Amino acid sequence: MVEGGFAKLFQKRSFFRFAQKYQPLGSGEPEEETREECELKIIEKEKEVTVLPPKEACKCHKEDLAKALNVDLQTGLSEFSVLQRRLKHGWNEFSVENTEPIWKKYLDQFKNPLILLLLASALVSVITKEYEDAASIAMAVLIVVTVAFIQEYRSEKSLEELNKLVPPECNCLREGKLQHLLARELVPGDIIYLSVGDRVPADLRLIEVTDLLVDESSFTGEAEPCNKTDSVLLEAGDITTLSNVVFMGTLVRYGKGKGVVIGTGESSQFGEVFKMMQAEETPKTPLQKSMDRLGKQLTLFSFGIIGLIMLIGWLQGKHLLSMFTIGVSLAVAAIPEGLPIVVTVTLVLGILRMAKKRVIVKKLPIVETLGCCNVICSDKTGTLTANEMTVTWLVTSDGFQAEVSGVGYNGEGNVYLLPSKEILKEFSNVSVGKLVEAGCVVNNAIIRKNTMIGQPTEGALIALAMKMELADIKDIYVRKKEIPFSSEQKWMAVKCTLKNQDQEDIYFMKGAFEEVIQYCTLYNSGGISLPLTPQQKAFYQQEEKRMGSSGLRVLALASGPELGKLTFLGLVGIIDPPRAGVREAVQVLFESGVSVKMITGDALETAVAIGQNIGLCNGKLKAMSGEELDQLAEAELSSTVKNVSIFFRTSPKHKLKIIKALQRSGAVVSMTGDGVNDAVALKSADIGIAMGQAGTDVSKEAANMILVDDDFSTVMNAIEEGKGIFYNIKNFVRFQLSTSISALSLITLSTVLNLPNPLNAMQILWINIIMDGPPAQSLGVEPVDQDTIKQPPRCITDTILSKSLILKIFMSAIIIISGTLFVFWKENPKSGITPRTTTMTFTCFVFFDLFNALTCRSQTKLIFEIGFFRNRMFLYSVLGSFLGQLAVIYVPPLQKIFQTENLRVLDLLFLTGLASSVFIVSEFVKFCEKRCCRPKHTKGCHN
């Protein structure tokens, strides 16, 4: 078979060293023919490897599986094999093609009923041989359609970028080394290691398992996780019965396992489910729905007014075609068809701004919910605190105490015995050595090149062993069994035996002190096990409380032949320092009416120490345990949780109860977390926020938002954006509605009073472009005001059109209508309407529009407070509209289309002065509001 150029290029370097194995003995150079033959044979063998259907793979023995997939189960695939298989099977991902071409999307814009009405008007103009009018209307339609298309296309492209979420990762064995890879890089035959919290990266046939439970609800709808095994199945039933196969997209809830990839991408069972998920349309946000309702109401109102105008005009004997054209043009200008697009674009732009601040928002509706959030429930470890935990203090079971230096997972630092400050290495102190040894053995973390793979707590214990030069001690043991940590039992244990020795099994356990001590009957004293007395227990308990009260996370360690007869080894104090900026963020959130509550599995003393350190509830702390939560009735719980700032010794069910209770009390709840035990709470909260680096795949899957840098203070930025976006939409609505009402009222009044129309059809369409175009759009990208975060959370029932906003809309509209009618009256000679009359009226209305846009940049702040040059896009848009208006007035071809004539400089100065009145009056009203109506400081809608 002849290989393509690309394949040859891909293979050349990878294969060279591989082919050396086939060099004939005694030959100085490899024979070209032999090497070529070997290359083709291996390539052909790799091409024979196919994906295995789950129902076949489940019946294969490990040896048959390895043979079918041409893989060594102990070392994994070679890089050469991976490249060959990728050429055949592609990347482990799904590509959903967008079948609708761009030209069709453009033509779809013409389906708008208003556009069709305009085109009908142009057709009537052609029939009546008024070709200039027809050309003018056609050009206006093209401009309106193109502007709408660009806005929608930009919105879609932005959303496509947002849908590229944090890519799933996995631990893969290749060429004998465990590597951390993106899931998309997998090929059939890869060996994958699974642990608690992982999302399964491809369809796997399991070859090793330890108490593995997998959540397959994406396939079966069953909430209960499935128990998995590595034994061969005799019969293959439905996919739900395949206990030795795990499927892509499912979640590891418990235990650990190892499996071989049997299906990737489109060939996996999840392929069809994924396609169905992609086919589902994203539901509209509550804000979009309310904007749609507003648009429909205004449309019906506008059509009623327009119909009345046309009827009165016809009864007055005016030219029917002229009235029809003006009516349709007015409909296009008055009906806010751009509202839904602006809402989407504004939300998307806000999300993209968040992305620059390292916050990924997975779902568009979350943006508007952020502005309403008034309670943040936060997991402590890895969220409020740093994700690099460090052991700083040791207390052995026989009373020795040691201090540990160094931070992070690089192994730098020493263990100092107190009070002598002697540096300890290996077993120079037996009690400390045995304590460190236990922490290293009952551990699943790996530190390689200063990078930790696993849980931070376990990483800290490995780093401690590295400082004691005991990091390799776990290699002398063979692990027979593991009892994984769970939030219910609060401990983990492993059953081991020494390599090459026929000694009895030994258990190593680590976990919460009050749980581990229950399994101990002895304590270690210089390497000798002595009976555990109540006095010893009381001493350990006192030490545990002392360490916890200083902000340390305390782990107890034990070992022994049986779980009920363990020897207590001592306590390890691990510090998880608060993240930089957390204290400041908590303080700002508190001042703005957002309550921050800490939920942790740690003991009371540890939780309170961290709470005081970060300034929770301004130092006025009230704490509640998980046990106390269980004793409260539902009604009592809802009223109690509002006043509690720290919840300690909690399980996932407690976190869920807290969130549900807060929601029942009327709060809008955000939950931040990183662990498997946070997943349920993240899913049930109004806003679930996961950590991007320390977070497990389960938590990222359940969350609506991901903090890429795990920085809690970025939540403050996200809430700020949420509030700012809502205010920007209000600004846009005020501008657009005041312009719509002004245009409608102007034509209505002139028709009812039997006056000539002050604006012609083309001029109305030009006003529509300004109203829906760049100046209006630029209001949606107004930078977030620095004082926005200090505003109390918005009530979720608040509508866009508040009473205050409606009054401001009508105030602006009345000023615009009065000023424009004044100019029309002033410039209307007795002999009848002239081009100068319409030019002055038209220019006056446009200038009013631009000054109105300027004051709509903020509802409460004066222009000098928000900064004249802060929104550069707005300035460019207004400048462009102003130059466009001058072109309409002074460029001859445009004069003919818009029926305008040249104006004098004094005319422009007069119109500028008059139009600025809408800006001056609005700014004066803001000034009076600031002086007379001081804003009340509240703590949000719901306390």
Side-chain angles (χ1 to χ4, degrees), residues 317-345:
K318 292 182 180 177
H319 193 248
L320 190 60
L321 178 63
S322 172
M323 292 306 300
F324 175 73
T325 305
I326 285 176
V328 171
S329 302
L330 198 58
V332 172
I335 296 165
E337 72 280 355
L339 274 180
I341 295 170
V342 169
V343 172
T344 303
V345 169

mmCIF file of all heavy atoms in Angstrom, residues 317-345:
data_model
loop_
_atom_site.group_PDB
_atom_site.id
_atom_site.type_symbol
_atom_site.label_atom_id
_atom_site.label_comp_id
_atom_site.label_asym_id
_atom_site.label_seq_id
_atom_site.Cartn_x
_atom_site.Cartn_y
_atom_site.Cartn_z
ATOM 1 N N GLY A 317 -57.011 62.810 2.100
ATOM 2 C CA GLY A 317 -56.761 62.945 0.669
ATOM 3 C C GLY A 317 -55.303 62.943 0.278
ATOM 4 O O GLY A 317 -54.947 63.317 -0.841
ATOM 5 N N LYS A 318 -54.417 62.516 1.198
ATOM 6 C CA LYS A 318 -52.995 62.468 0.867
ATOM 7 C C LYS A 318 -52.724 61.275 -0.050
ATOM 8 O O LYS A 318 -53.485 60.309 -0.083
ATOM 9 C CB LYS A 318 -52.151 62.381 2.136
ATOM 10 C CG LYS A 318 -52.201 63.656 2.963
ATOM 11 C CD LYS A 318 -51.327 63.559 4.187
ATOM 12 C CE LYS A 318 -51.407 64.848 5.002
ATOM 13 N NZ LYS A 318 -50.642 64.777 6.240
ATOM 14 N N HIS A 319 -51.569 61.354 -0.777
ATOM 15 C CA HIS A 319 -51.220 60.318 -1.739
ATOM 16 C C HIS A 319 -51.037 58.975 -1.023
ATOM 17 O O HIS A 319 -50.230 58.870 -0.097
ATOM 18 C CB HIS A 319 -49.927 60.713 -2.465
ATOM 19 C CG HIS A 319 -49.658 59.880 -3.683
ATOM 20 N ND1 HIS A 319 -48.615 58.991 -3.759
ATOM 21 C CD2 HIS A 319 -50.328 59.796 -4.868
ATOM 22 C CE1 HIS A 319 -48.619 58.383 -4.937
ATOM 23 N NE2 HIS A 319 -49.660 58.875 -5.634
ATOM 24 N N LEU A 320 -51.793 57.926 -1.459
ATOM 25 C CA LEU A 320 -51.824 56.649 -0.738
ATOM 26 C C LEU A 320 -50.461 55.959 -0.732
ATOM 27 O O LEU A 320 -50.023 55.432 0.292
ATOM 28 C CB LEU A 320 -52.897 55.730 -1.354
ATOM 29 C CG LEU A 320 -53.209 54.459 -0.547
ATOM 30 C CD1 LEU A 320 -53.720 54.825 0.836
ATOM 31 C CD2 LEU A 320 -54.247 53.605 -1.265
ATOM 32 N N LEU A 321 -49.764 55.955 -1.896
ATOM 33 C CA LEU A 321 -48.453 55.307 -1.974
ATOM 34 C C LEU A 321 -47.464 55.964 -1.023
ATOM 35 O O LEU A 321 -46.694 55.299 -0.331
ATOM 36 C CB LEU A 321 -47.920 55.351 -3.409
ATOM 37 C CG LEU A 321 -46.513 54.746 -3.612
ATOM 38 C CD1 LEU A 321 -46.514 53.271 -3.271
ATOM 39 C CD2 LEU A 321 -46.025 54.970 -5.035
ATOM 40 N N SER A 322 -47.516 57.317 -0.984
ATOM 41 C CA SER A 322 -46.634 58.065 -0.091
ATOM 42 C C SER A 322 -46.912 57.701 1.372
ATOM 43 O O SER A 322 -45.990 57.469 2.155
ATOM 44 C CB SER A 322 -46.830 59.559 -0.317
ATOM 45 O OG SER A 322 -46.123 60.297 0.653
ATOM 46 N N MET A 323 -48.187 57.635 1.740
ATOM 47 C CA MET A 323 -48.557 57.285 3.112
ATOM 48 C C MET A 323 -48.158 55.852 3.447
ATOM 49 O O MET A 323 -47.703 55.558 4.557
ATOM 50 C CB MET A 323 -50.068 57.467 3.328
ATOM 51 C CG MET A 323 -50.538 58.911 3.300
ATOM 52 S SD MET A 323 -49.652 59.970 4.453
ATOM 53 C CE MET A 323 -50.015 59.192 6.013
ATOM 54 N N PHE A 324 -48.298 54.943 2.466
ATOM 55 C CA PHE A 324 -47.929 53.537 2.661
ATOM 56 C C PHE A 324 -46.422 53.413 2.908
ATOM 57 O O PHE A 324 -45.968 52.741 3.838
ATOM 58 C CB PHE A 324 -48.329 52.709 1.439
ATOM 59 C CG PHE A 324 -47.883 51.263 1.499
ATOM 60 C CD1 PHE A 324 -48.508 50.364 2.352
ATOM 61 C CD2 PHE A 324 -46.818 50.804 0.722
ATOM 62 C CE1 PHE A 324 -48.094 49.042 2.418
ATOM 63 C CE2 PHE A 324 -46.403 49.492 0.791
ATOM 64 C CZ PHE A 324 -47.050 48.604 1.636
ATOM 65 N N THR A 325 -45.634 54.116 2.076
ATOM 66 C CA THR A 325 -44.170 54.074 2.210
ATOM 67 C C THR A 325 -43.723 54.635 3.547
ATOM 68 O O THR A 325 -42.882 54.065 4.247
ATOM 69 C CB THR A 325 -43.505 54.857 1.065
ATOM 70 O OG1 THR A 325 -43.975 54.353 -0.178
ATOM 71 C CG2 THR A 325 -41.988 54.714 1.113
ATOM 72 N N ILE A 326 -44.320 55.797 3.931
ATOM 73 C CA ILE A 326 -43.967 56.410 5.219
ATOM 74 C C ILE A 326 -44.382 55.496 6.376
ATOM 75 O O ILE A 326 -43.640 55.314 7.346
ATOM 76 C CB ILE A 326 -44.619 57.803 5.353
ATOM 77 C CG1 ILE A 326 -43.866 58.803 4.470
ATOM 78 C CG2 ILE A 326 -44.633 58.279 6.800
ATOM 79 C CD1 ILE A 326 -44.461 60.178 4.434
ATOM 80 N N GLY A 327 -45.566 54.909 6.261
ATOM 81 C CA GLY A 327 -46.061 54.008 7.303
ATOM 82 C C GLY A 327 -45.147 52.827 7.522
ATOM 83 O O GLY A 327 -44.791 52.489 8.656
ATOM 84 N N VAL A 328 -44.719 52.206 6.406
ATOM 85 C CA VAL A 328 -43.828 51.044 6.503
ATOM 86 C C VAL A 328 -42.462 51.464 7.050
ATOM 87 O O VAL A 328 -41.881 50.798 7.906
ATOM 88 C CB VAL A 328 -43.686 50.356 5.121
ATOM 89 C CG1 VAL A 328 -42.589 49.297 5.171
ATOM 90 C CG2 VAL A 328 -44.988 49.734 4.693
ATOM 91 N N SER A 329 -41.940 52.590 6.556
ATOM 92 C CA SER A 329 -40.638 53.084 7.036
ATOM 93 C C SER A 329 -40.703 53.380 8.529
ATOM 94 O O SER A 329 -39.771 53.089 9.289
ATOM 95 C CB SER A 329 -40.250 54.359 6.281
ATOM 96 O OG SER A 329 -40.190 54.104 4.902
ATOM 97 N N LEU A 330 -41.816 53.968 8.957
ATOM 98 C CA LEU A 330 -42.006 54.285 10.366
ATOM 99 C C LEU A 330 -42.064 53.014 11.199
ATOM 100 O O LEU A 330 -41.552 52.955 12.321
ATOM 101 C CB LEU A 330 -43.292 55.103 10.535
ATOM 102 C CG LEU A 330 -43.447 55.874 11.842
ATOM 103 C CD1 LEU A 330 -42.303 56.842 12.034
ATOM 104 C CD2 LEU A 330 -44.769 56.615 11.852
ATOM 105 N N ALA A 331 -42.694 51.974 10.622
ATOM 106 C CA ALA A 331 -42.765 50.689 11.325
ATOM 107 C C ALA A 331 -41.366 50.132 11.573
ATOM 108 O O ALA A 331 -41.036 49.667 12.660
ATOM 109 C CB ALA A 331 -43.596 49.694 10.519
ATOM 110 N N VAL A 332 -40.522 50.209 10.529
ATOM 111 C CA VAL A 332 -39.145 49.716 10.664
ATOM 112 C C VAL A 332 -38.393 50.511 11.725
ATOM 113 O O VAL A 332 -37.642 49.975 12.529
ATOM 114 C CB VAL A 332 -38.417 49.786 9.303
ATOM 115 C CG1 VAL A 332 -36.936 49.453 9.476
ATOM 116 C CG2 VAL A 332 -39.050 48.830 8.318
ATOM 117 N N ALA A 333 -38.611 51.831 11.739
ATOM 118 C CA ALA A 333 -37.898 52.689 12.688
ATOM 119 C C ALA A 333 -38.431 52.544 14.106
ATOM 120 O O ALA A 333 -37.679 52.532 15.074
ATOM 121 C CB ALA A 333 -38.001 54.141 12.243
ATOM 122 N N ALA A 334 -39.780 52.422 14.221
ATOM 123 C CA ALA A 334 -40.401 52.453 15.551
ATOM 124 C C ALA A 334 -40.356 51.115 16.263
ATOM 125 O O ALA A 334 -40.246 51.057 17.480
ATOM 126 C CB ALA A 334 -41.849 52.921 15.423
ATOM 127 N N ILE A 335 -40.440 50.038 15.519
ATOM 128 C CA ILE A 335 -40.478 48.720 16.151
ATOM 129 C C ILE A 335 -39.058 48.306 16.540
ATOM 130 O O ILE A 335 -38.186 48.232 15.674
ATOM 131 C CB ILE A 335 -41.129 47.674 15.217
ATOM 132 C CG1 ILE A 335 -42.588 48.049 14.967
ATOM 133 C CG2 ILE A 335 -41.025 46.278 15.806
ATOM 134 C CD1 ILE A 335 -43.229 47.337 13.827
ATOM 135 N N PRO A 336 -38.811 48.044 17.805
ATOM 136 C CA PRO A 336 -37.445 47.739 18.258
ATOM 137 C C PRO A 336 -37.041 46.306 17.941
ATOM 138 O O PRO A 336 -36.857 45.480 18.831
ATOM 139 C CB PRO A 336 -37.532 47.974 19.775
ATOM 140 C CG PRO A 336 -38.947 47.671 20.117
ATOM 141 C CD PRO A 336 -39.779 48.025 18.931
ATOM 142 N N GLU A 337 -36.884 46.015 16.624
ATOM 143 C CA GLU A 337 -36.527 44.642 16.255
ATOM 144 C C GLU A 337 -35.103 44.287 16.675
ATOM 145 O O GLU A 337 -34.726 43.118 16.706
ATOM 146 C CB GLU A 337 -36.688 44.433 14.739
ATOM 147 C CG GLU A 337 -35.653 45.112 13.849
ATOM 148 C CD GLU A 337 -35.933 46.605 13.624
ATOM 149 O OE1 GLU A 337 -36.979 47.089 14.084
ATOM 150 O OE2 GLU A 337 -35.104 47.272 13.011
ATOM 151 N N GLY A 338 -34.316 45.300 17.006
ATOM 152 C CA GLY A 338 -32.937 45.040 17.422
ATOM 153 C C GLY A 338 -32.784 44.664 18.880
ATOM 154 O O GLY A 338 -31.703 44.279 19.311
ATOM 155 N N LEU A 339 -33.869 44.760 19.665
ATOM 156 C CA LEU A 339 -33.766 44.501 21.111
ATOM 157 C C LEU A 339 -33.210 43.116 21.442
ATOM 158 O O LEU A 339 -32.256 43.005 22.209
ATOM 159 C CB LEU A 339 -35.128 44.698 21.783
ATOM 160 C CG LEU A 339 -35.483 46.128 22.217
ATOM 161 C CD1 LEU A 339 -36.852 46.144 22.851
ATOM 162 C CD2 LEU A 339 -34.464 46.677 23.190
ATOM 163 N N PRO A 340 -33.791 42.023 20.914
ATOM 164 C CA PRO A 340 -33.277 40.692 21.273
ATOM 165 C C PRO A 340 -31.816 40.512 20.889
ATOM 166 O O PRO A 340 -31.051 39.898 21.631
ATOM 167 C CB PRO A 340 -34.180 39.733 20.471
ATOM 168 C CG PRO A 340 -35.407 40.519 20.161
ATOM 169 C CD PRO A 340 -34.952 41.932 20.010
ATOM 170 N N ILE A 341 -31.422 41.063 19.722
ATOM 171 C CA ILE A 341 -30.033 40.917 19.284
ATOM 172 C C ILE A 341 -29.105 41.648 20.248
ATOM 173 O O ILE A 341 -28.069 41.125 20.655
ATOM 174 C CB ILE A 341 -29.858 41.466 17.847
ATOM 175 C CG1 ILE A 341 -30.666 40.632 16.850
ATOM 176 C CG2 ILE A 341 -28.394 41.475 17.438
ATOM 177 C CD1 ILE A 341 -30.743 41.217 15.475
ATOM 178 N N VAL A 342 -29.505 42.864 20.623
ATOM 179 C CA VAL A 342 -28.665 43.656 21.524
ATOM 180 C C VAL A 342 -28.493 42.958 22.868
ATOM 181 O O VAL A 342 -27.408 42.948 23.448
ATOM 182 C CB VAL A 342 -29.258 45.069 21.722
ATOM 183 C CG1 VAL A 342 -28.550 45.800 22.847
ATOM 184 C CG2 VAL A 342 -29.120 45.857 20.442
ATOM 185 N N VAL A 343 -29.567 42.347 23.367
ATOM 186 C CA VAL A 343 -29.479 41.624 24.643
ATOM 187 C C VAL A 343 -28.423 40.519 24.534
ATOM 188 O O VAL A 343 -27.527 40.405 25.376
ATOM 189 C CB VAL A 343 -30.846 41.021 25.032
ATOM 190 C CG1 VAL A 343 -30.695 40.110 26.237
ATOM 191 C CG2 VAL A 343 -31.837 42.121 25.341
ATOM 192 N N THR A 344 -28.512 39.718 23.473
ATOM 193 C CA THR A 344 -27.571 38.608 23.287
ATOM 194 C C THR A 344 -26.150 39.129 23.142
ATOM 195 O O THR A 344 -25.226 38.636 23.789
ATOM 196 C CB THR A 344 -27.958 37.775 22.053
ATOM 197 O OG1 THR A 344 -29.288 37.313 22.206
ATOM 198 C CG2 THR A 344 -27.028 36.595 21.872
ATOM 199 N N VAL A 345 -25.958 40.128 22.264
ATOM 200 C CA VAL A 345 -24.614 40.658 22.021
ATOM 201 C C VAL A 345 -24.028 41.241 23.309
ATOM 202 O O VAL A 345 -22.865 41.010 23.634
ATOM 203 C CB VAL A 345 -24.648 41.726 20.896
ATOM 204 C CG1 VAL A 345 -23.323 42.466 20.817
ATOM 205 C CG2 VAL A 345 -24.963 41.076 19.565
#
